[in-house]
Amino acid sequence: MQTVTKTSPMLGDGQTPSVAPTVFRILLAISFVHFLNDSMQAVVPALYPVLKKSMSLTYTQVGLISFFFNMTSSIMQPVVGYFTDKRPSPFLLPLGMLSSMAGMFGLAMAPTFGWVLFAAMFVGLGSAVFHPEGSRVAHMAAGGRKGLAQSIYQVGGNTGQSLAPLMTAFVFVPLGQPGAAWAAILAMLAIAVLFNVSKWYRQQLSSGTVATKGKKGAGKGEIVTSNVKFAICLLILLVFARSWYSSSISNFYQFFLMEQDGLSIERAQVFVFLFMAAGAIGTFLGGPLADRFGKWRLILFSMMGAAPFAMLLPHVSLFWSYPLLFIMGVILSSSFSVTVVYAQELIPGNVGMVSGLIVGLAFGMGAIGAVVLGNVSDVYGLVTLMQWCSFLPLLGVLTFLLPKDRKSMKATS
């Protein structure tokens, strides 16, 4: 049995001594389910313009929907990860997807704002179960290519999320709230794929190739030093900044365009889709780039490189908004999967909990951000909101305080 034993805050290359091959069949399957799962999650923000109009919601109430949905996912992801680190549960994956399916039906039939919040929580719970276990499967199937594996896994989710504006324009504007029921078909397909993934997962456990904290000597030798704790806290702050800025674009930029430029709901969705689709591209490119140039350098580049474009965006015409959103989306999201691998190497042996913390935290920070940003919009207006949020990527300068991995050290020496 092989376990990762790196404990130094100076990170290694992210490859274990094992020569196990990368299992692309499983990586593509879990990425596809990630696409389906996050496509269902995308139903929630896609409904915002429809629900705002039909239920006469304020921007704060729109933010509350995002809060209930994302906080359920955020709080439960590290809990699920901690539990499955000790007791891996392969068939928890399809069971969690049943919760998402129930949430889809609930959103389609919710008669009041309170029922919308309740249904959104079921979708969040399904996401909380899927993400840490999905990340574990990607880690198990990675072989020695951790960055690439996480990118393949995460790009499925980012692609699914990018469908939200298209769903608004082509599904929910013509069909209204009941259109959410169609997303239940995605859950059924995901459950079918996950049964096969879970069988492979169970085989890995039975063969003894996967170390768990519940087994004597497995995952117990990690020493979490004060330097590692500081690095994790700093990483959380960077995720916070990235998530709040992304939340401002995905949740409120459409309303900004509708108010400032008089765009229709359908046309405003094009700009949000461009940003989110660019994010999927950036997520896929980030892993291989980090494997080659170093994780620390890519985290720094993703924040500081996006900052100039973010600060320009609220002040440019619609024509220039297209390239700015695309370039910024690619750069900002390039560290999404890299951040997960970086955190996993800071605290080895806790793949599920760390993945749940970092990925779940992104949802949680976005949830809190949605409420706060919605309140700012109601009080100060959308223009002020977009201008204030444009400075968030500048917090990327704090990356200089993070420990460098070996490839970043070689590249800067």
Side-chain angles (χ1 to χ4, degrees):
M1 180 184 301
Q2 294 180 336
T3 59
V4 180
T5 57
K6 287 186 286 231
T7 59
S8 171
M10 285 297 186
L11 301 179
D13 289 333
Q15 297 187 356
T16 69
S18 174
V19 293
T22 303
V23 188
F24 285 102
R25 171 178 62 88
I26 296 299
L27 286 177
L28 292 175
I30 201 67
S31 179
F32 177 62
V33 175
H34 201 180
F35 166 77
L36 296 174
N37 179 82
D38 284 26
S39 295
M40 286 184 286
Q41 288 181 209
V43 169
V44 180
L47 277 170
Y48 291 164
V50 175
L51 293 174
K52 187 178 186 301
K53 183 177 180 180
S54 64
M55 295 185 177
S56 300
L57 304 181
T58 65
Y59 289 121
T60 300
Q61 286 177 308
V62 171
L64 278 172
I65 300 173
S66 182
F67 176 82
F68 273 78
F69 160 54
N70 287 319
M71 281 304 290
T72 303
S73 173
S74 174
I75 291 172
M76 292 303 298
Q77 278 196 46
V79 175
V80 172
Y82 179 79
F83 172 79
T84 54
D85 279 338
K86 290 184 173 182
R87 192 179 302 232
S89 307
F91 290 94
L92 196 62
L93 284 164
L95 285 176
M97 201 58 64
L98 286 173
S99 176
S100 295
M101 186 168 66
M104 289 299 102
F105 283 120
L107 285 172
M109 299 181 290
T112 64
F113 175 67
W115 280 105
V116 170
L117 296 180
F118 187 65
M121 289 175 64
F122 270 85
V123 181
L125 181 61
S127 176
V129 173
F130 172 76
H131 280 100
E133 282 298 87
S135 187
R136 185 193 308 280
V137 169
H139 184 83
M140 290 163 54
R145 306 172 75 176
K146 304 299 184 187
L148 175 63
Q150 280 297 324
S151 286
I152 292 174
Y153 167 64
Q154 297 292 353
V155 76
N158 284 42
T159 304
Q161 291 173 15
S162 71
L163 295 180
L166 297 183
M167 289 180 181
T168 300
F170 299 110
V171 178
F172 298 119
V173 169
L175 297 181
Q177 186 179 340
W182 286 97
I185 298 174
L186 301 180
M188 296 176 191
L189 178 58
I191 289 170
V193 177
L194 282 175
F195 266 113
N196 288 319
V197 172
S198 295
K199 289 178 182 178
W200 178 85
Y201 184 172
R202 184 177 61 183
Q203 288 172 357
Q204 301 307 298
L205 293 175
S206 61
S207 66
T209 58
V210 179
T212 68
K213 294 182 71 176
K215 294 179 181 180
K216 186 176 180 180
K220 297 264 187 187
E222 300 86 4
I223 301 174
V224 182
T225 66
S226 58
N227 286 340
V228 170
K229 292 178 182 177
F230 174 76
I232 287 291
C233 290
L234 202 56
L235 203 61
I236 287 172
L237 182 58
L238 293 173
V239 172
F240 166 89
R242 185 184 65 200
S243 299
W244 272 45
Y245 183 74
S246 295
S247 180
S248 73
I249 298 295
S250 60
N251 291 325
F252 298 103
Y253 189 64
Q254 56 187 317
F255 298 115
F256 171 80
L257 293 174
M258 291 161 64
E259 181 180 293
Q260 284 292 105
D261 299 286
L263 298 187
S264 65
I265 293 177
E266 293 89 343
R267 191 178 174 197
Q269 303 310 309
V270 174
F271 290 87
V272 181
F273 171 73
L274 184 64
F275 174 77
M276 299 181 77
I281 296 172
T283 298
F284 179 75
L285 295 176
L289 288 174
D291 284 341
R292 181 170 181 178
F293 298 107
K295 290 173 278 294
W296 178 89
R297 296 183 79 204
L298 197 70
I299 293 171
L300 175 65
F301 170 72
S302 73
M303 296 291 288
M304 299 304 295
F309 301 102
M311 288 186 288
L312 280 173
L313 185 63
H315 308 287
V316 300
S317 66
L318 286 176
F319 175 81
W320 289 107
S321 296
Y322 288 105
L324 285 180
L325 283 167
F326 182 80
I327 296 170
M328 181 175 59
V330 171
I331 296 174
L332 190 66
S333 295
S334 62
S335 66
F336 191 87
S337 60
V338 175
T339 305
V340 176
V341 178
Y342 185 94
Q344 287 174 347
E345 292 182 4
L346 278 173
I347 311 180
N350 296 270
V351 174
M353 186 185 71
V354 171
S355 300
L357 179 64
I358 297 300
V359 179
L361 186 69
F363 284 105
M365 292 299 100
I368 297 172
V371 176
V372 174
L373 298 178
N375 188 254
V376 170
S377 300
D378 286 332
V379 176
Y380 298 102
L382 290 165
V383 174
T384 299
L385 170 70
M386 298 310 302
Q387 290 175 346
W388 287 3
C389 289
S390 68
F391 292 96
L392 285 172
L394 287 176
L395 288 175
V397 71
L398 296 175
T399 305
F400 283 106
L401 300 177
L402 286 173
K404 297 179 181 179
D405 54 289
R406 291 177 186 169
K407 286 182 177 173
S408 293
M409 292 172 67
K410 290 177 183 177
T412 55
S413 62

